[in-house]
Amino acid sequence: MIIKRGLNFSRLIKEATKLIHGRQYIDHFWYLKSNPESLQPLIDNETQIKNSFYEQPQIKEIFNDYYQVSYGRKDGRTHDIPELYDEYEYNGRFAYFDTGNDYQIIERSLKGGDKEVVLDLKKIQFLKQYHATMKLTKLKISDDHKLIAFGVDLLNNEDIIWLMKYIDDERVFRTKLFDCFDAAFTKDNMHLVYTQYDDKFRPYRLMLHKLGTTQEEDELLFEEKDEQFYLDLQQTKDGKYFVLLSQTKQSNEVILIDREDPKKVQLLFSRKENAINLVHHHEEHGLYILTNKNSYDYKVLKQEGDKFVDFYCPQQGEVLQEVDLFHKHLVLYFTKESESFIKVISLQDKEIYNLFIPPSLVYTNHQQNKKNLLRNIYDRVIKKDKSQYFLNQKVQNEVLGATIEPGVNHNYKSDAFQFHLSTPLVYDQVYQYNLSNKQLSKLQDANLTGKAFKREEFTCTRYYAPSKDGTEIPITLVHHKDLQKNRQNKLLLHSYGAYGVPQEIPFNIVYLNALEKGWTLAYAHIRGGNERGQDWHRQAIQENKIKSIEDLLGCASYLIAEGYTHPSLLCGLGASAGATTLGAAINMRPDLWKCAVLLSPFLDVLGSLLDESLPLTKSDYLEFGNPNDKKIFDTILSYSPYENLKKQVYPAIYISAGTGDFRAPLWNVLKYTEKLKQIAVQSKKVETIGDHPLIIDINDGGHYGGAGAQSVIEERTRYMTFLDYYVGIGNKEITKKSLTQDIDESIQLADEEDKIQKQ
C-alpha cells in the first residue's frame, strides 16, 4: 500500500477494510477517492510521463504525420443545409473562437430573403472567458420567432447553464437558469418549462420560469424523488403538448402537459407499464407512441378513443430507434443487425415503403436517385436469410456500417423530410426524401479538404464469431479491399456492450489515415447493446454481465484464428462502460492483446456501486446489479477490472481521463493505474515508458473528452500514435516466424471450432 505524507496510516487501513457478506473486502487505494489532494501529484507525474513520451523524435514523427493529415482533412462546407421552421429557414454557419475551438453561428432568413444572425456565441460578453472549453448543447425558438433560449456547457463537464435573449438583440437576459438540462417555450412566448438536475446531475424537477423574473421565483411543476428515474422533456411536433418522461431503461411514467397552460397535466401511462420512448400527437388521429408495452422490443401504437392499438409491429430482427410524424406519413428509423434503415408508412392506407439508398448515390457526386429505387434493402444486403440473425454469413457491402439519423424536420405538414448518413468512409451526407413523388436526393456532401482519401480502395465486411456459449456475435470489419488473411494485419477491435446502446461504426477523420497506414478496424456487436433488440441487452446485464466479456474474447479469438491479425498486432478500444468490458478481457486473456485503449473508463465497478453517494450508482443497479445482494457482489467481484488486476504481463495501455468527469471519475482511473503499476509484470516484448508500457492522458474536460473538433483530433491522434508505436517500432515480438506460427491452445481450438461449423 502506498502511504502519502500527512495521511493517518491506521485510519486508512481501518477505512480501506470493510466486512461485506461475511468476507473482508480490502481496497488498498481507497484514499485516492476519499482524499482529492492525493490526486494532484499523480496528475503531475502522469502528465510529465505522457509529455516525455510524445516528445521522443520517432514518436513525434508518427504524431505529426497523423495530425497534419487528419487536421488538414477539414469539412469543406461553410454551413449546414437550411431547415424550414414555420416561415423561416434556419441553418448553422461554421466558425471558430480565437482559442481554436469551433462552434456554429445560427442564422435564419425568410425563404429567399437576406440572412440575419440568430445567435453568435462569440459576441456574448458573458461567455468570452469560456471560449476555449464551451459548447452549445441545445437551442429552442419561441413560437413567434422573436426569442431564443439556449444551453451552454461552459467547462465541457456537463454542468449546463441556460441563457435567453431576443433574436434582434445580442444581449442576453440578466436571469440565467443554472442546473438546467433542457428547456422549451410555452405557447404564450412568456414562459419556459425546464428540467433541473440535482447534485448528482440527475434531471429530477420540472420547473416553470416566467421571463423577466429570477430563477428563485420559478414554480415547481413536478419532482421525481426516486433516484433511479430521471426526467426527459419532449414536445409533440404539432406544438400542442409537452411530454414529460420520468424514466429508467426499463420503465417510465408519461405525463402530457398542455403548452397553453403548463399547469394542466395528464398522466398518460404509469410507471407500472413498460417503457415509452417517444410520444407524437396528430391533430386528426390523436397520439402515436413508440413503446415496448406488452412486448420487449419497441413497436408503434395509435390512439383509438380511450385506448391504444398496434399500428406497426416490427418484423423479425428489426429494432425501432426513432419515429417521425408528418401530416400524412409516419417515418420509421430502425436497425437490423446494427445496420440502419428507413420505412415510410402512409397514414391514409398504411402502405409501407422501404427506402433504398444505392451505393452509387452515397459514393459518387450524383445528387439524385433517378430510378426511384424503393425495395426491400434486406434482399440486397443479405442474400440468404436462413435464420433470424443471418448466422455464419460473410456479408460484404460498400454501404455496410451506415449510420442514419433524422434531420430536425420541424414542419409537421411538410411533404419532404431530411436525414443524415455517415459511414466509416463517408462523412455526414444530407439527404431529402419527397413523400409525394418518392424521390430521393442528396442535398449535401462533406467534401473533405486536404489529402485525398481513396475510399474506393476500402470496404466493410460483416463476419460472425462464436462466443463461449455458442452465440454468434456480429463483427464489422473496415479494411482495404486487398486485405489478406496472413496474420500480419494491425487490427483495432472496438466494443461497448452496455445500457442497450449499440456499437456504432462512426466516421472518424483520424481513422482514414489509420486505414491508409494499413490498419484494419473491427467493431464487435457484443451482447449488452441492442443490435438484436432489447433481449440482446438483457442477456448481458447484472448476474449475466460476464457474457459481454466472453463475447469480446470470442471475437478476438476468432479474428486471430481466422488469420486477420495476430496477438502481437491486435489492439482493443473501449470507452466508458465499454472499457469495463475491455479491462476485464485483458485481465482474463492478456496474451490476446498487444495494446488496449481505455477512454474515460469505468474500471472500479465494485467500489463505485458500493457507494450510493455517487451520481450514477442507483441507476447503474439496473445494468450491473446491486452488490448489496451477495450473488451480484460475487459476480461483479469476478470481473471488475480494478479488483482483478493480477501479477502477469499486461499489454501496453493508453488511458484518457477528465478531471471534470462525474461519470467515470478520475480517482477511479488512478486507483486502477496505481494498482497496475505495483502488480504488473514487466514485459520483455515491448519498450516501456517509465516502469510500464502505460500512458495516462489527463484533460480538464468531462466524460466526452476535449471541446471542439481540434481537441478530438488531437486525442485520437495521441492514441493512434501510441498504437502505431507499440505494434511497430516498440514491438519486440514481430518476426516472420512469430506471425505465422500457431498461437496457443485456445486459439487453435477456436480455429478447429470454426472449421467444424463450416463443414
Side-chain angles (χ1 to χ4, degrees), residues 10-46:
S10 60
R11 182 176 67 84
L12 283 175
I13 292 294
K14 181 179 179 181
E15 296 190 18
T17 304
K18 296 180 181 178
L19 189 65
I20 304 176
H21 302 304
R23 73 169 66 179
Q24 195 176 54
Y25 171 70
I26 303 176
D27 184 355
H28 290 298
F29 294 91
W30 163 88
Y31 69 90
L32 290 173
K33 173 186 171 186
S34 63
N35 182 22
E37 293 179 0
S38 64
L39 299 182
Q40 192 58 52
L42 297 178
I43 294 172
D44 294 341
N45 183 56
E46 297 303 339

Side-chain angles (χ1 to χ4, degrees), residues 130-328:
Y130 302 106
H131 285 179
T133 56
M134 63 176 284
K135 61 182 177 183
L136 182 70
T137 58
K138 293 183 180 180
L139 181 143
K140 301 297 175 68
I141 304 168
S142 62
D143 287 18
D144 61 6
H145 292 267
K146 293 181 179 180
L147 291 151
I148 59 170
F150 54 99
V152 181
D153 185 350
L154 298 177
L155 298 175
N156 192 32
N157 62 359
E158 301 183 68
D159 193 0
I160 302 167
I161 183 173
W162 276 69
L163 308 174
M164 296 145 283
K165 67 181 279 296
Y166 284 102
I167 289 177
D168 61 2
D169 190 342
E170 291 179 359
R171 296 171 298 175
V172 296
F173 290 3
R174 181 173 299 177
T175 297
K176 302 170 181 62
L177 300 180
F178 294 92
D179 303 331
C180 176
F181 184 75
D182 200 359
F185 285 98
T186 57
K187 274 280 191 180
D188 63 8
N189 305 303
M190 296 175 60
H191 295 81
L192 282 171
V193 295
Y194 67 93
T195 50
Q196 188 176 47
Y197 50 81
D198 60 16
D199 58 358
K200 297 180 180 179
F201 291 86
R202 177 181 69 97
Y204 77 118
R205 282 179 173 172
L206 183 70
M207 308 296 292
L208 179 65
H209 174 73
K210 183 178 180 179
L211 300 183
T213 65
T214 65
Q215 190 173 14
E216 288 73 21
E217 298 174 77
D218 293 350
E219 185 176 348
L220 176 66
L221 298 179
F222 180 86
E223 182 173 1
E224 177 54 74
K225 296 183 179 180
D226 189 331
E227 289 189 32
Q228 287 193 325
F229 285 76
Y230 59 94
L231 301 183
D232 181 29
L233 180 65
Q234 302 176 1
Q235 180 176 312
T236 59
K237 199 165 182 178
D238 63 356
K240 186 174 178 62
Y241 296 107
F242 295 122
V243 180
L244 185 68
L245 304 179
S246 181
Q247 62 188 355
T248 69
K249 290 286 185 182
Q250 298 178 1
S251 65
N252 59 18
E253 188 170 272
V254 183
I255 299 171
L256 283 184
I257 301 171
D258 194 321
R259 287 191 67 232
E260 291 187 354
D261 181 6
K263 297 179 184 180
K264 186 178 179 181
V265 300
Q266 172 191 350
L267 179 64
L268 188 62
F269 292 99
S270 72
R271 66 185 55 185
K272 293 180 181 178
E273 302 177 73
N274 291 340
I276 311 296
N277 182 273
L278 193 65
V279 178
H280 281 298
H281 183 264
H282 191 285
E283 60 186 6
E284 297 175 10
H285 304 159
L287 294 168
Y288 289 83
I289 64 173
L290 180 63
T291 176
N292 63 8
K293 182 179 173 65
N294 300 327
S295 70
Y296 198 74
D297 281 319
Y298 285 101
K299 60 182 177 180
V300 179
L301 301 184
K302 176 181 178 294
Q303 185 179 26
E304 289 191 359
D306 59 354
K307 63 180 181 179
F308 287 87
V309 299
D310 290 349
F311 180 78
Y312 180 79
C313 295
Q315 298 178 8
Q316 190 177 50
E318 288 182 357
V319 182
L320 297 183
Q321 304 288 355
E322 295 272 358
V323 175
D324 203 355
L325 179 68
F326 296 87
H327 185 58
K328 297 180 181 179

Side-chain angles (χ1 to χ4, degrees), residues 26 52 141 219 227 273 322 548 602 645 662 669 677 704:
I26 303 176
S52 296
I141 304 168
E219 185 176 348
E227 289 189 32
E273 302 177 73
E322 295 272 358
S548 295
F602 183 35
L645 288 168
F662 72 87
V669 173
K677 289 177 183 179
Y704 301 104

Side-chain angles (χ1 to χ4, degrees), residues 378-540:
Y378 314 137
D379 295 339
R380 180 185 184 282
V381 176
I382 299 171
K383 305 287 187 181
K384 300 177 181 178
D385 185 1
K386 293 185 177 179
S387 67
Q388 181 178 359
Y389 298 135
F390 321 116
L391 303 186
N392 298 315
Q393 299 286 330
K394 171 186 172 182
V395 182
Q396 188 163 356
N397 174 39
E398 293 195 37
V399 194
L400 195 68
T403 299
I404 296 174
E405 296 181 348
V408 176
N409 297 320
H410 175 80
N411 274 17
Y412 165 66
K413 294 190 176 182
S414 176
D415 288 327
F417 68 91
Q418 294 180 12
F419 63 91
H420 296 252
L421 181 145
S422 295
T423 81
L425 307 175
V426 172
Y427 175 59
D428 192 30
Q429 294 178 337
V430 184
Y431 290 84
Q432 180 170 283
Y433 181 70
N434 189 299
L435 293 162
S436 299
N437 62 21
K438 302 180 179 63
Q439 184 77 35
L440 177 66
S441 302
K442 182 165 64 176
L443 301 181
Q444 193 178 60
D445 210 336
N447 295 322
L448 296 177
T449 62
K451 180 183 176 182
F453 176 70
K454 300 177 181 179
R455 62 188 179 194
E456 69 277 4
E457 295 182 1
F458 300 89
T459 190
C460 300
T461 311
R462 172 66 52 78
Y463 296 94
Y464 293 85
S467 188
K468 184 177 180 179
D469 63 3
T471 301
E472 297 279 348
I473 310 302
I475 310 174
T476 304
L477 260 62
V478 185
H479 58 90
H480 197 279
K481 289 181 177 178
D482 294 334
L483 178 70
Q484 301 295 314
K485 294 170 64 172
N486 58 9
R487 302 189 184 226
Q488 297 182 35
N489 304 298
K490 301 180 292 186
L491 191 145
L492 179 57
L493 177 59
H494 304 70
S495 60
Y496 189 70
Y499 301 111
V501 175
Q503 171 62 64
E504 293 185 343
I505 313 168
F507 178 87
N508 182 325
I509 197 75
V510 179
Y511 281 1
L512 297 187
N513 199 12
L515 289 167
E516 291 169 328
K517 290 177 179 291
W519 281 91
T520 294
L521 307 172
Y523 299 84
H525 306 282
I526 62 179
R527 284 173 287 183
N530 78 338
E531 284 86 342
R532 292 177 178 165
Q534 293 304 309
D535 184 57
W536 197 244
H537 172 224
R538 291 179 77 183
Q539 287 185 43

Side-chain angles (χ1 to χ4, degrees), residues 636-664:
I636 298 173
L637 185 62
S638 73
Y639 69 77
S640 178
Y642 170 67
E643 274 77 19
N644 288 279
L645 288 168
K646 61 191 72 171
K647 190 174 182 179
Q648 60 185 4
V649 174
Y650 277 89
I653 300 175
Y654 171 100
I655 299 180
S656 71
T659 57
D661 188 350
F662 72 87
R663 298 178 184 273

